Amino acid sequence: MTSENAYERVAQDPESTSENTQTPGSRRRGARGTPLPGELAAVLADYLARLERAPLSTESRRTYASKVRQYLAWLAAADVDGDPLADPAARDWAVRDYRTHLVTVAKRKPTTVNNALAALDDFYTRRGLGPANADRLDLPTSTRRSLPQRAQTRWLRAVAQEPSARDRALALLPFYAGPRIAETVRLDLDDVRLSARKGELRLLGKGGKPRWVPLHPELRAALAAWLEERRTWPGAQENPALFLNRRGGRLSVRGARDVFARIADAAGLDAATAHALRHTFATTLVRGGTDLVIVAELLGHARLETTRGYTRPSAEDRERALDLLPVDR
């Protein structure tokens, strides 16, 4: 299939075709867009022919065909400078203007806009002009999921009721020290340093990069209790692993997750995974005013921008902010 209509029949984008003439959201899904003028129809037909020979999936071809047709339909009615189909500078200006149109007039989401820009890069590359010099939109970053204050209290109370010293120490590690679950089960006995009043934990992060995390008093007490009980477990003398399973081997990630799931169930919590507890650790430190560099070091983040994600407000934060507004009754 090399004609415009061949792709039109299979690739109508629900967020588009005639964005220059339709009110956003008003076009019926699957409806045909405004016909292109002869010259632009020929441009599209040439692109579709090239696209069919490209080593792309059928879905990618459909998406690119739809996005490029939308751009050409906009181009037919837009007031552009120069010839955007032949001149690189005019290409850049037109694509940037189209990006603005998608955001301000068509009200498209950032992901949709960036997908359109990717299709135009392919279109212009196959025309021999190369990708347009047009920045992508920043995508919204979701807030890290951490436990609300009440859920944290319920978690700690459920941990306190846990009869196994191993499971109490395991459950408190991400809450008070923030390790990933894989880092937790990788711990050996010599990774824990305890004294009467202090303690440190040596964690091996991604890429085997080590970091030392000071121990919170609650976690230090839980680890001391586990080390005492551990002496009676199978494999205690032979296995260097800090956390053992009931057969004397190293506790696996799956086994650790089962422990977290069981305690979460006892606490009546759905989201109390080791990952959520690590996020809770980080969010608590950041919201408490701890320097981001320190938090990044404690979490084993290579990039400060990753840690900065914990500063973003949650839905609960936004709701609490609105509660501050006065009401005159």
Side-chain angles (χ1 to χ4, degrees):
M1 295 186 298
T2 57
S3 70
E4 174 190 341
N5 287 342
Y7 278 108
E8 282 276 66
R9 285 194 294 268
V10 296
Q12 289 294 337
D13 187 330
E15 286 203 278
S16 65
T17 49
S18 236
E19 290 165 339
N20 55 318
T21 58
Q22 299 288 336
T23 301
S26 66
R27 206 176 60 76
R28 179 170 55 85
R29 185 184 180 100
R32 294 178 58 80
T34 304
L36 295 175
E39 180 183 354
L40 292 179
V43 169
L44 180 61
D46 177 70
Y47 173 66
L48 296 182
R50 297 171 186 267
L51 193 60
E52 182 155 311
R53 297 190 295 269
L56 298 172
S57 68
T58 301
E59 186 61 30
S60 293
R61 292 193 188 100
R62 288 175 177 174
T63 300
Y64 282 5
S66 175
K67 300 295 185 185
V68 169
R69 190 200 187 287
Q70 294 160 32
Y71 170 68
L72 294 175
W74 170 83
L75 205 59
D79 182 15
V80 296
D81 297 319
D83 183 358
L85 297 178
D87 177 55
R91 169 207 59 195
D92 293 346
W93 299 331
V95 171
R96 292 171 194 165
D97 288 346
Y98 183 58
R99 179 188 60 196
T100 301
H101 165 80
L102 290 177
V103 174
T104 61
V105 178
K107 309 294 185 185
R108 299 301 178 232
K109 296 178 181 178
T111 301
T112 301
V113 175
N114 288 347
N115 287 342
L117 295 178
L120 294 184
D121 281 350
D122 183 80
F123 167 69
Y124 276 113
T125 297
R126 296 188 193 282
R127 285 188 64 81
L129 289 181
N133 183 12
D135 291 341
R136 300 297 195 264
L137 299 183
D138 290 333
L139 298 178
T141 304
S142 60
T143 304
R144 311 286 186 176
R145 188 173 187 182
S146 59
L147 299 184
Q149 187 62 51
R150 178 57 181 165
Q152 294 178 38
T153 301
R154 291 167 64 185
W155 175 259
L156 293 176
R157 289 175 179 174
V159 172
Q161 297 298 313
E162 172 58 45
S164 168
R166 182 202 68 174
D167 294 353
R168 290 197 302 272
L170 183 68
L172 292 180
L173 262 168
F175 188 86
Y176 284 125
R180 304 172 178 92
I181 195 166
E183 296 171 343
T184 298
V185 299
R186 197 183 296 145
L187 287 167
D188 287 335
L189 288 171
D190 58 7
D191 291 324
V192 181
R193 295 179 181 176
L194 297 179
S195 64
R197 301 181 61 183
K198 294 183 179 181
E200 278 188 318
L201 195 67
R202 180 180 181 269
L203 294 163
L204 284 179
K206 294 181 178 179
K209 184 178 179 180
R211 68 184 187 276
W212 287 96
V213 177
L215 294 179
H216 187 280
E218 293 292 323
L219 179 56
R220 186 176 72 247
L223 285 170
W226 161 236
L227 290 174
E228 183 64 29
E229 182 183 298
R230 183 187 181 281
R231 297 175 183 176
T232 65
W233 278 51
Q237 301 303 316
E238 303 83 18
N239 197 323
L242 174 62
F243 292 109
L244 301 171
N245 59 33
R246 297 292 179 178
R247 298 181 302 277
R250 182 183 294 273
L251 183 67
S252 66
V253 169
R254 180 176 179 179
R257 283 177 177 155
D258 288 344
V259 172
F260 282 100
R262 179 171 49 77
I263 297 177
D265 186 62
L269 301 173
D270 295 327
T273 63
H275 205 54
L277 292 165
R278 170 177 161 86
H279 289 336
T280 302
F281 168 81
T283 301
T284 300
L285 296 184
V286 170
R287 300 287 176 84
T290 306
D291 189 279
L292 284 181
V293 174
I294 296 175
V295 179
E297 290 180 355
L298 292 174
L299 293 173
H301 286 164
R303 297 174 61 250
L304 196 60
E305 188 58 33
T306 304
T307 315
R308 205 180 304 278
Y310 294 100
T311 67
R312 296 186 177 95
S314 65
E316 291 81 6
D317 293 328
R318 290 189 285 270
E319 289 174 3
R320 284 196 296 269
L322 293 181
D323 289 340
L324 298 175
L325 298 173
V327 176
D328 182 21
R329 295 188 184 277

